[in-house]
Every structure is written in C-alpha cells, then in structure tokens.
Amino acid sequence: MRCMPQLSSRPEDPDRHVKVKQRGSVLNMLRRLDKIRFRGHKRDDFLDLAESPNASDTEGGDEIPLKMPRTSPRDGEELRDPAGPGTLIMAAGVQDFNRTEFDRLNEIKGHLEIALLEKHFLQEELRKLREETNAEMLRQELDRERQRRMELEQKIQEVLKPRAEEQTAQQPPKGQAQANNGADRRSQGLCARVQKWFSERFGEYVEDFRFQPEESAVETDEPLSARRLTENMRRLKRGAKPVTSFVKNLSALSDWYSVYTSAIAFTVYMNAVWHGWAIPMFLFLAILRLSLNYLIARGWRIQWSIVPEVSEAVEPPKEDLTVSEKFQLVLDVAQKAQNLFGKMADILEKIKNLFMWVQPEITQKLYVALWAAFLASCFLPYRLVGLAVGLYAGIKFFLIDFIFKRCPRLRAKYDTPYIIWKSLPTDPQLKERSSAAVSRRLQTASSRSYVSSAPAGLSKDEDTGRFHGTKKGNFHEIFNLTENERPLAVCENGWRCCLINRDRKMPTDYIRNGVLYVTENYLCFESSKSGSSKRNKVIKLVDITDIQKYKVLSVLPGTGMGIAVSTPSTQKPLVFGAMAHRDEAFETILSQYTKITAAAASGSDS
C-alpha cells in the first residue's frame, strides 16, 4: 500500500531505473568475461610490471596495478537493488570495477610489450650467433664430409671384398692358423715397441720438419707525424754512421791523408798478397774490429780513425712546436729524403742500364772483361790469378787513384771505370734524350716541308726570319723587332712562366702569365692576357747587369723555379717564376749573355 504513493510521487524514477538496469547488465557481462579470461590462471599469477626485469622505466615504474577489492554479498545485493538505499555505494563499486578492468588491460598490454621485446632481442641474438658460427657453411661442409666418408667406405669395401674371397679360398688348417696368429702377435708387439722407442727419441725432431701454411701478418701503416719523421731520419743517420766512417777511412787511405798510415797499410797489403795471406789478413782485421767493439761496449774508450771525427751538436727535440715550425721541419726532412732517394735511384738506374745494354759501347767493355776473366780462371792456376788481381787492386787503390784524384784531366782521359760510370745514363736522362731526338726529327721534317713550299726568290734565313711567329702573330711584329730576330732553337716554342715585376703596385701589373723567348740579342716576354704589345717585355741582353737563379717561395722545398734579371731601368730585379725548365732557360740565357758581352768587349778593345 505504501509503494503506490511512492511510485506516483516520483515520476522521474522510470528513467533512472532503466539506467541502473543497463549498468547491471554491463557488470554481469564484465564478470562473465572475467571468468572466461582468467579461467586458467589467477590474476595474482601474472608478473607485476614493477617486478619485471626487462621492464623499462615507462612501462612499470609509475603505474602499479591496483588490486580489485573483494565485495561482500551484502554489497552485491545493494548493487543489484537500484532503488535501495545503497545506490551511491553501487556507483562507487562500478567505478572501482571499471578502473580495475582498465588496470588489468594495461597490465596485459605491458606483458605483451615485454614479450615482444624479448622476442626481438632473442631474434637478434640468434642472428648474431648464426653470423658468427656460419651454421650454413658448417652444415654444408659436414654434408660434404659425410658424402666423402661414404665414398671411402665403398672403396674400402670394394678393395677388401676380393681379399676376403682369396683368404677364404686359401684358408690354412686350424693348427697352422693358430701358429700363424701367435707369430703375428709377437711381430706386432715388437713393431709397437720399436715404434714407441723411435717416437720417444726422435718424435720431437720429426715434428720440427712438419710443413705448416705460412701466416701472412698485415702491418698497419702509421699516420704521418713530423716528430716521427724526424726521429726516423735521425735513426737512419745513426745506423749509417759506421758505414760512412768506414768509407771515409778507406778514402783517406787512398788519398794518403796520413802518409805514415797509408805507407804502412800499402806495405802490409802488398806483402800479404805476395805471400798469399790476403784472405787471412782480412779475416784477422775483422776479428780485431770485433774485439775492439767488445771492449768499447764494456766501457773502454778506444778511438782509432784516420780521419778525425767531428762531433755534431745534437739538438734536443722540442716538445711544443708551432704550425710554422712543424711545416718547416717536415720540409727540411722531405728535402733530405728527396736528395738521398735521388742519389740511390741514380746508382740503381745506372747499374740497371749497364746490364741492360742501354749503351752498347759501354756494356761491350764489361762483356769482354767478363769473358777474359772467365778464360783466365779456366786455364790459369788460382794462385796466379789471385796474385794478379790482388796486386792490381793494391796498385790501383793506393797509387793510381791518388794520381787521378790529384790530376782531374788525366782521370777524365785514362780512368776507365770512372769514365764508364760517368757516361752511364739514368732514366730521366734517357727520357730527355729521346724527347730531344723526337723534337729534332719534327723540326727537320717541318723545315724540309717549309723549304719545299717557300717562294723561290727567298733564302732560308729570310724565310725563317719573316714567317716565324707566335700564337698571336709574327714574332718580330709582336715585339717590334727586326725580321732577323727570332727565337733560338732551344726555345723555339718558348718557356711558360710568370713575370713578377716588383716595381709595380697594382696586382694586375705585379704578376703576368706568359711565355719567355731568347733571341740572339734580346730577352722577350709575351703576356698571355694582352691583345696589344703594351704588356709584353723586351730586355736587351747587353743591358742585363746581373742574372741568377731565384727561389720565389722560401717555404717550398728545392732550389726554386725562378730566374732574377737585373737591369739599370728597374729598381728591383725582374723575376721570371713558375718555370718548369728553369735550369735549361738559365743556361741558355747565361750562355747567350756571355757570348754577347764577350763580343761587345772584343769590339771595344779593337
């Protein structure tokens, strides 16, 4: 009876009753899903994200899943009754349940992420192990070995099968077989003992003769360092010091630097050769040298040298070097290394060209000398041959070389080994000779073709003087000279260079690129950027007051690539720099200048 007024007094309750029913159905569905999802394991069996060893800071550090609160039957009844007094408690339970479900989903998501990460890491480790062990290659090699083993087993069976048939056909009686077995056992025991004794005594020596593949060690190249380069050059100098001092002492003996020492050495040597004691004498000197070295190593101060040794001041290495000092140090060491390698290359190339018949007339002399020595060694006794060679070497070393060094003109005429060595060419000299020969051939061919095509009324000198020209026109028109002024044969095409005029202030006039020519009376420079003759330079050879080789940049290695020419009209000398054939140009200009000045001096005297 009381229910009716209550229901009629609240008309808005049906809508609320419907909403509560919807929430109850959602709760029942979530409970059923919870029973199905966690049917196999309880929620407490899962590893917490905060306790997982592989969890990151963002996965299990801050969000700790909340435990679902246990609800009592009374609370369940209050939740089921939407119109009861526990509506607020039911709403709070629904919120807690929804939050717990969200936490469960986050927990499962975290476990899935951890499992995926572990799977990825395990796949990477498996890939690395496969790459390191090369399992596929090992498997293929194992298959090949198995196939080879099967083939060998088949061959062994094929070999043993006829033997087994022969043994069954020729099987002896039983008593004879037992006797044979006993003898075989005794022989096998004796062989085993002999083999054991041999392996114990000589096994180690036999192992030493076992062939093994040679291991090639790869040497790592050190980076370029100025200090390391300088130290290596000093080490090379210290290592070559005994050899250089020995060569200096031999040269001093040959030059009679100390007359008494050279006279005693000559007398002892000639007596030893005459009596056949030359080889024992050299061996005794080697033993004496080693004995002196031993005493020096033990602390004795023994110094014996024909040439007095000059102690060089050793500069201590600086710890802190500036960039310019390092650059200059590298340049100095590079220059020394360049000169040293150049001398060594010249010696090796001369020896190679001597044996390769580069100059047949020189190699022919060596060929005849070798044939003579061969025939003498075949027909003459060794004592006589040794005596002749020893006497000739002593006289040549102590007397003939002394005379030749004091008389250079005599040496240039009669010293055969010296003449042969000086006339042997190096590879750069051979290249220069071949290029010069090719240029001469081209010049003769061009002159012949030009003479054949020239007008009949002109002479050869007139033709060459009139029609010789540069890239921009005729030569005498470019420099405003007479027609008989033409470049010399050496510089017919000119030398490419740059003119540095230090009297000019403008950068465009300070350095000019062009070509340098030398005529009989003039030194002509043709600028490459000028269409007129204003930028060209013409210098009379008679007006030159000084000419010398010049190094434009002092920091660069070498002697430079420039020529400095001084004239009365210029305050500072004109410099022709960046010239590849500087030495050839300098010799040409100097010879022509000397010729002109000598002719002028003779004309003035007359």
Side-chain angles (χ1 to χ4, degrees):
M1 294 296 294
R2 291 179 182 179
C3 292
M4 295 299 295
Q6 292 177 357
L7 291 173
S8 60
S9 63
R10 291 190 303 180
E12 69 275 3
D13 285 345
D15 296 334
R16 188 174 180 181
H17 182 68
V18 171
K19 291 181 182 179
V20 172
K21 281 187 177 182
Q22 289 177 357
R23 289 182 181 178
S25 62
V26 170
L27 289 175
N28 293 330
M29 181 179 67
L30 289 175
R31 287 177 181 175
R32 291 178 182 177
L33 287 175
D34 186 30
K35 291 179 181 180
I36 294 171
R37 184 181 302 164
F38 299 102
R39 184 175 297 172
H41 299 281
K42 293 182 178 180
R43 181 174 177 271
D44 296 333
D45 295 337
F46 285 94
L47 183 64
D48 195 1
L49 286 175
E51 300 175 359
S52 177
N54 294 327
S56 62
D57 296 338
T58 58
E59 289 175 353
D62 299 331
E63 297 180 359
I64 301 176
L66 299 174
K67 298 292 182 178
M68 177 180 176
R70 298 289 181 178
T71 57
S72 61
R74 183 179 178 182
D75 295 336
E77 292 176 358
E78 291 178 356
L79 289 172
R80 290 190 192 98
D81 191 4
T87 305
L88 296 176
I89 297 174
M90 181 186 68
V94 169
Q95 292 179 0
D96 293 340
F97 191 79
N98 291 334
R99 189 184 301 110
T100 305
E101 288 297 322
F102 181 73
D103 294 338
R104 288 180 183 178
L105 291 175
N106 287 336
E107 181 181 358
I108 294 171
K109 181 180 178 182
H111 282 291
L112 287 175
E113 291 179 356
I114 293 170
L116 291 174
L117 288 175
E118 289 181 352
K119 179 183 177 182
H120 177 70
F121 293 151
L122 290 176
Q123 286 179 352
E124 289 293 328
E125 293 292 333
L126 181 60
R127 184 179 60 80
K128 290 180 181 179
L129 289 174
R130 285 179 178 176
E131 290 179 355
E132 292 176 357
T133 55
N134 294 327
E136 295 295 333
M137 295 177 63
L138 293 175
R139 189 179 296 106
Q140 293 177 2
E141 188 175 356
L142 182 61
D143 295 337
R144 287 196 297 269
E145 293 294 333
R146 286 176 180 174
Q147 187 176 1
R148 191 180 303 171
R149 182 178 61 81
M150 294 174 62
E151 293 177 356
L152 291 175
E153 288 179 355
Q154 292 178 0
K155 291 181 179 180
I156 291 172
Q157 290 178 2
E158 291 176 358
V159 172
L160 293 178
K161 187 175 180 180
R163 290 185 181 180
E165 294 177 356
E166 292 178 359
Q167 288 179 0
T168 53
Q170 298 178 0
Q171 186 174 5
K174 187 175 181 180
Q176 187 178 0
Q178 291 178 356
N180 292 335
N181 290 334
D184 293 339
R185 289 176 183 176
R186 287 193 298 271
S187 63
Q188 289 178 359
L190 180 62
C191 292
R193 287 195 299 270
V194 172
Q195 186 177 2
K196 183 178 180 182
W197 176 81
F198 184 81
S199 62
E200 290 177 355
R201 291 293 182 88
F202 304 102
E204 185 177 356
Y205 302 103
V206 172
E207 289 292 331
D208 294 339
F209 289 94
R210 179 174 292 179
F211 292 99
Q212 294 181 356
E214 185 178 358
E215 296 180 358
S216 59
V218 179
E219 296 182 358
T220 58
D221 296 334
E222 296 183 1
L224 181 62
S225 173
R227 187 175 301 172
R228 186 68 174 174
L229 184 60
T230 310
E231 182 63 24
N232 289 339
M233 290 297 296
R234 290 175 181 171
R235 287 172 54 198
L236 179 62
K237 190 175 182 180
R238 289 195 299 267
K241 188 176 181 179
V243 179
T244 55
S245 62
F246 177 72
V247 173
K248 286 180 181 179
N249 289 326
L250 286 181
S251 179
L253 277 177
S254 178
D255 294 340
W256 293 74
Y257 183 84
S258 176
V259 179
Y260 297 104
T261 306
S262 298
I264 292 171
F266 177 69
T267 306
V268 171
Y269 175 79
M270 297 302 287
N271 280 301
V273 171
W274 183 261
H275 294 285
W277 297 339
I279 296 177
M281 181 190 68
F282 288 119
L283 294 177
F284 175 73
L285 291 175
I287 294 171
L288 180 62
R289 182 73 255 185
L290 284 177
S291 303
L292 291 176
N293 291 340
Y294 173 76
L295 295 177
I296 292 171
R298 299 295 293 179
W300 291 45
R301 293 184 178 181
I302 301 173
Q303 292 182 357
W304 181 85
S305 177
I306 301 174
V307 182
E309 296 183 359
V310 179
S311 60
E312 298 179 357
V314 180
E315 297 181 359
K318 298 181 180 180
E319 296 295 333
D320 297 331
L321 296 175
T322 61
V323 178
S324 60
E325 290 177 349
K326 289 182 180 180
F327 185 68
Q328 187 65 34
L329 183 64
V330 171
L331 289 178
D332 295 339
V333 175
Q335 184 178 3
K336 293 179 181 178
Q338 171 189 330
N339 299 333
L340 178 62
F341 293 157
K343 293 177 181 178
M344 294 173 62
D346 291 342
I347 294 172
L348 295 176
E349 287 174 358
K350 285 187 175 184
I351 295 173
K352 185 253 300 181
N353 294 330
L354 175 63
F355 287 99
M356 293 303 295
W357 294 83
V358 175
Q359 284 191 343
E361 63 275 5
I362 297 176
T363 311
Q364 187 177 0
K365 297 177 181 179
L366 177 63
Y367 190 72
V368 173
L370 290 176
W371 270 110
F374 172 73
L375 295 175
S377 64
C378 290
F379 297 103
L380 297 178
Y382 286 124
R383 184 178 178 82
L384 183 60
V385 174
L387 179 63
V389 172
L391 292 176
Y392 172 75
I395 295 171
K396 177 76 169 58
F397 181 77
F398 286 98
L399 300 178
I400 298 176
D401 286 348
F402 173 74
I403 297 172
F404 282 156
K405 288 179 181 178
R406 293 296 184 272
C407 305
R409 297 180 63 181
L410 195 65
R411 183 177 190 179
K413 290 181 180 180
Y414 300 105
D415 193 359
T416 306
Y418 176 79
I419 295 170
I420 291 175
W421 183 256
K422 286 296 182 181
S423 59
L424 282 172
T426 59
D427 290 348
Q429 292 175 355
L430 290 175
K431 290 181 180 179
E432 290 179 0
R433 291 179 185 178
S434 61
S435 61
V438 170
S439 63
R440 287 196 206 96
R441 292 173 187 172
L442 293 175
Q443 288 175 4
T444 54
S446 61
S447 63
R448 289 174 183 175
S449 62
Y450 176 76
V451 168
S452 61
S453 62
L458 294 175
S459 63
K460 183 178 179 179
D461 295 337
E462 293 176 355
D463 296 340
T464 55
R466 179 175 296 178
F467 292 99
H468 181 82
T470 62
K471 295 181 179 180
K472 298 179 181 179
N474 295 330
F475 185 81
H476 65 279
E477 294 177 357
I478 292 294
F479 297 102
N480 296 325
L481 301 175
T482 58
E483 295 183 359
N484 59 353
E485 290 291 340
R486 57 183 180 273
L488 300 177
V490 181
C491 60
E492 190 172 4
N493 296 323
W495 297 295
R496 296 194 62 83
C497 63
C498 63
L499 175 60
I500 303 174
N501 191 354
R502 298 186 177 183
D503 293 338
R504 302 298 180 91
K505 301 299 182 181
M506 294 297 293
T508 55
D509 297 334
Y510 186 78
I511 298 177
R512 303 177 196 169
N513 295 320
V515 183
L516 181 66
Y517 298 95
V518 180
T519 65
E520 294 181 357
N521 300 307
Y522 294 95
L523 187 65
C524 305
F525 175 79
E526 181 184 5
S527 179
S528 60
K529 293 185 179 180
S530 175
S532 61
S533 60
K534 293 181 179 180
R535 292 181 176 269
N536 299 335
K537 191 74 175 177
V538 179
I539 304 171
K540 287 185 178 181
L541 294 176
V542 183
D543 296 340
I544 294 176
T545 58
D546 185 21
I547 178 173
Q548 59 183 351
K549 296 180 181 180
Y550 188 77
K551 187 176 181 180
V552 180
L553 297 176
S554 60
V555 296
L556 295 178
T559 58
M561 300 173 64
I563 298 174
V565 178
S566 299
T567 59
S569 60
T570 57
Q571 297 179 358
K572 296 180 181 179
L574 298 174
V575 178
F576 300 96
M579 192 179 298
H581 303 280
R582 192 275 305 271
D583 295 336
E584 182 182 4
F586 180 78
E587 294 296 335
T588 304
I589 298 171
L590 185 61
S591 62
Q592 193 67 21
Y593 170 74
T594 307
K595 182 180 177 181
I596 292 296
T597 52
S602 62
S604 63
D605 293 339
S606 61

